[in-house]
Amino acid sequence: MVGLPARGKSTIAGKLRESLRRDGIATRIFNNGELRRRLSREDTNYPEFFDPRNKVGAALRQRYAVMNLNHAKTFVNKGKRKRKVAIIDATNVSPKRRRMLSTELPENRVLFIECINNDEEILEQNIRYKVQTPEFAPLSVDEATASFKKRIQYYEGIYKPLKKERNFIRVDSFNYRILKEEVNGGLPFVDRIRDFLVTPFIKNLYLVRHGETYYNLEDRIGGDSELTREGYSQAGELRDVFRNKKIPLIFTSSLKRSVQTALPIKNAQQECKILSFSEFNEINAGVCESMTYDEIRENMPNVAAARKRNKYYYEYPQGEGYVSMEERIERGIKKVLYLSKHSDSIMMVGHRAVNRMVLSYFVFKRKEDVPYIYVPQDSYYHIAISQNRKVFQLKKFV
Ligand code: F6P
């Protein structure tokens, strides 16, 4: 692995190990930082330890890098099994460090995977996660954040992107996109790995629509209406369905009906956080907000007719269409995928149009069919995606 801290290297390494193992390939991760934390008696967590001008720090890090590399070599060379992968999980940002790896290992058997993620918001979230790990336990959150950011700066100082290495793939780990690839033949599993890098991975996503609202009763669209008694009772049923499942994260929109549906579930869980993103707010109906469908047909027949003709591409005056939600929904989903990387099961409480867009991100649908996907208020979709498993199921609460 190659990349600055907090760019998703360890997450990719962990999932890649899972994916390769499922293919019968013995795979192990060798993490420089973990070795350092485990073996060093002295404090190695202060930022200046990572200053390249700090000779003592640099020598110690080099020592752990060599030790880790030797562990990896022993693993791949030992025993009869031929299908083996050692993942060296470290920043490896300097060409010198990478030359050492290429020299010490058979060069045509080394693939460098460089992780890039320059999304400020995601980076901040990642840093927030990192500073909660035991490594930073003695520090306050602010001190730990400052310390970790300083460490990143030191790495930035010596970071040289991959260029001359024989085999490499540079991946945008937030967008599941390969940015550059140089693979010179003879490397096993590389197709499998490339495919892995561009496949969103989601263990269990439960996609729910908010419960019934006062606006729903009148067939009124948009707004920020609250749940009715029936809506709360649906939320209660949902809570019971998930009572014995761990749901550590629930993603909602920033609208009341979505958060109100999520709260009973959160309260019944031992550990659960609600993260509200405006990316998942319901389609903005512009001048038609808070009107009923009948009122639109009567008072704005042109709007109703134009929308009926081409529902996906039609944009409400001063509002959105399905087409204009694409970007924000995609961004929201990527945030969900990124932030839920440590959780087996997550939930999203969205809205009718939003959930249609979310579903169409995971299952191919013709655009013209998307605005008609069935999104009832008494059922949820279970979605699971990996290279080997694809699940889409609509299940009733009771
Ligand atoms: O009626 C509920 C609702 O979520 C509205 O707020 C929204 O405008 C509508 O559904 C979206 O569905 P459609 O695109 O079918 O009108």
Side-chain angles (χ1 to χ4, degrees), residues 208-219:
V208 174
R209 185 176 162 200
H210 62 81
E212 184 193 78
T213 64
Y214 291 99
Y215 264 31
N216 289 150
L217 283 180
E218 298 173 16
D219 221 10

Side-chain angles (χ1 to χ4, degrees), residues 209-210 213 215-216 219-223 257 282-285 289 293 307 311 316 322 351-354 356 371-372 377:
R209 185 176 162 200
H210 62 81
T213 64
Y215 264 31
N216 289 150
D219 221 10
R220 233 170 250 293
I221 67 172
R257 53 195 187 275
E282 182 55 314
I283 187 169
N284 175 357
E289 277 284 302
Y293 286 108
R307 190 160 196 259
K311 196 170 168 189
Y316 282 107
Y322 280 81
H351 303 260
R352 180 151 67 183
V354 167
R356 287 172 175 157
Y372 300 98
Q377 275 166 315

Side-chain angles (χ1 to χ4, degrees), residues 213 215 221-226 254-258 289-290 351:
T213 64
Y215 264 31
I221 67 172
D224 196 7
S225 179
E226 312 221 355
S254 55
L255 299 171
K256 283 190 211 123
R257 53 195 187 275
S258 161
E289 277 284 302
S290 298
H351 303 260

Side-chain angles (χ1 to χ4, degrees), residues 295-326:
E295 285 167 354
I296 300 173
R297 267 190 298 273
E298 274 163 36
N299 304 329
M300 302 184 185
N302 295 345
V303 169
R307 190 160 196 259
K308 198 170 171 193
R309 267 198 304 278
N310 195 352
K311 196 170 168 189
Y312 190 90
Y313 289 97
Y314 179 78
E315 290 170 322
Y316 282 107
Q318 291 165 46
E320 293 177 303
Y322 280 81
V323 67
S324 35
M325 293 168 78
E326 277 176 7

Side-chain angles (χ1 to χ4, degrees), residues 73-187:
K73 269 161 86 174
T74 310
F75 166 71
V76 283
N77 292 331
K78 209 172 64 186
K80 288 203 192 88
R81 266 175 89 174
K82 289 226 173 77
R83 286 159 62 83
K84 280 184 174 178
V85 171
I87 303 176
I88 299 186
D89 184 10
T91 54
N92 296 318
V93 287
S94 73
K96 187 169 161 229
R97 177 62 59 79
R98 298 197 293 262
R99 266 198 306 278
M100 173 179 96
L101 296 171
S102 303
T103 320
E104 290 292 316
L105 296 161
E107 204 187 357
N108 61 353
R109 284 288 189 270
V110 179
L111 172 69
F112 290 100
I113 299 176
E114 180 177 11
C115 296
I116 308 268
N117 173 14
N118 294 323
D119 188 288
E120 284 298 323
E121 191 184 346
I122 293 295
L123 200 56
E124 281 298 321
Q125 294 270 11
N126 266 350
I127 293 174
R128 224 171 292 155
Y129 171 80
K130 279 266 181 190
V131 299
Q132 285 168 18
T133 56
E135 179 172 9
F136 293 99
L139 304 180
S140 72
V141 172
D142 287 348
E143 287 166 346
T145 308
S147 163
F148 191 56
K149 285 189 172 170
K150 187 91 204 143
R151 183 191 301 190
I152 295 178
Q153 273 174 15
Y154 284 129
Y155 277 110
E156 277 167 343
I158 54 163
Y159 181 19
K160 291 272 179 305
L162 295 166
K163 197 170 170 189
K164 295 210 175 105
E165 286 72 10
R166 185 184 154 101
N167 298 309
F168 71 83
I169 296 178
R170 178 176 301 133
V171 61
D172 174 343
S173 51
F174 180 57
N175 288 303
Y176 298 92
R177 218 171 278 150
I178 303 234
L179 302 173
K180 193 167 169 43
E181 180 178 323
E182 191 67 56
V183 174
N184 285 302
L187 199 64

